[in-house]
Amino acid sequence: MKILSLFLILVFSFLSITASAKIVGKDVTYKSEGTTLKGYLAYDDSVKGKRPGVLVVHEWWGHNDYARTRANNLAELGYTALAVDMYGDGQNADHPDKAGELAGSVLGNLDVAEARFTAAMKFLEEQETVNSEYIAAIGYCFGGAVVLNMALRGVDLDGVASFHGILPQEAPENAKPTADIIVFHGGADPFVPKEQFDKFKKIMQDTGANYELVVYPGVQHSFTNPDADEYGKKFELPLVYDEDADKKSWEQTQTFLNRIFQPENN
């Protein structure tokens, strides 16, 4: 009986500790130049004190559950994450034509993109759970293009990570990125052919960026999103989830974030 009682005490203690670790997720709003932006903030309320913040920039579909899931993933790692809204009013697209229109309206005016991105960044920095000295950004597809362009524009970030991102083909004059950059790219991504990949690589070299390019051979676009196959079949697009590339890129992202923030700051 004593052994059983001790076992039950240990089990209940473990369950209590586990229950105390709770991911808080909440809808938030902020503004940029008169545009209302609707994001999602996530953090672990069992973590004490301030911690680094990470911005999550959505795919071309807009701010959706996938972006929120990634924010939750980051919260589970001990960060405060903000899934941002780059389109305004939390807009989503249910068709590639609309997604392309929304994405083009932002990437076609990078001043607007930067204003909305920095508004999200300022909002994140002001959160009581965030150490504003340590901010990074990750982005998917369209979001990858956003975070890479922000790095090239010199936005004050510790690092950016792009997943199957649309790679910038030009940089601002005298661009000198200060953020560390990591790019996860599918080697068979038809949206970013080799010539575009090579041109982006030259931009990284010419600007003196501290960068790393990770290429997964044979992997196609949207490889981190489990819903990619469904989207691909529905709209006859080359979108294919790849579990192995998804897992590896997320593991490498954790290593990347640990390095740029330094262990003592986590």
Side-chain angles (χ1 to χ4, degrees), residues 5-18:
S5 297
L6 178 60
F7 173 75
L8 291 174
I9 290 171
L10 290 173
V11 169
F12 285 127
S13 296
F14 173 76
L15 291 175
S16 296
I17 292 171
T18 303

Side-chain angles (χ1 to χ4, degrees), residues 61-132:
W61 305 109
H63 178 107
N64 56 16
D65 287 342
Y66 180 63
R68 291 172 173 237
T69 295
R70 287 305 187 182
N72 287 335
N73 293 156
L74 288 161
E76 290 167 358
L77 296 176
Y79 303 111
T80 295
L82 175 64
V84 310
D85 171 16
M86 292 297 296
Y87 294 159
D89 203 32
Q91 292 182 80
N92 280 292
D94 56 8
H95 190 280
D97 290 346
K98 181 62 174 179
E101 177 186 330
L102 288 169
S105 69
V106 176
L107 293 179
N109 190 336
L110 289 177
D111 289 339
V112 169
E114 184 173 348
R116 293 181 181 179
F117 182 88
T118 54
M121 185 172 167
K122 183 175 185 294
F123 179 86
L124 180 61
E125 290 173 338
E126 291 173 346
Q127 301 308 303
E128 63 180 14
T129 61
V130 174
N131 182 340
S132 61

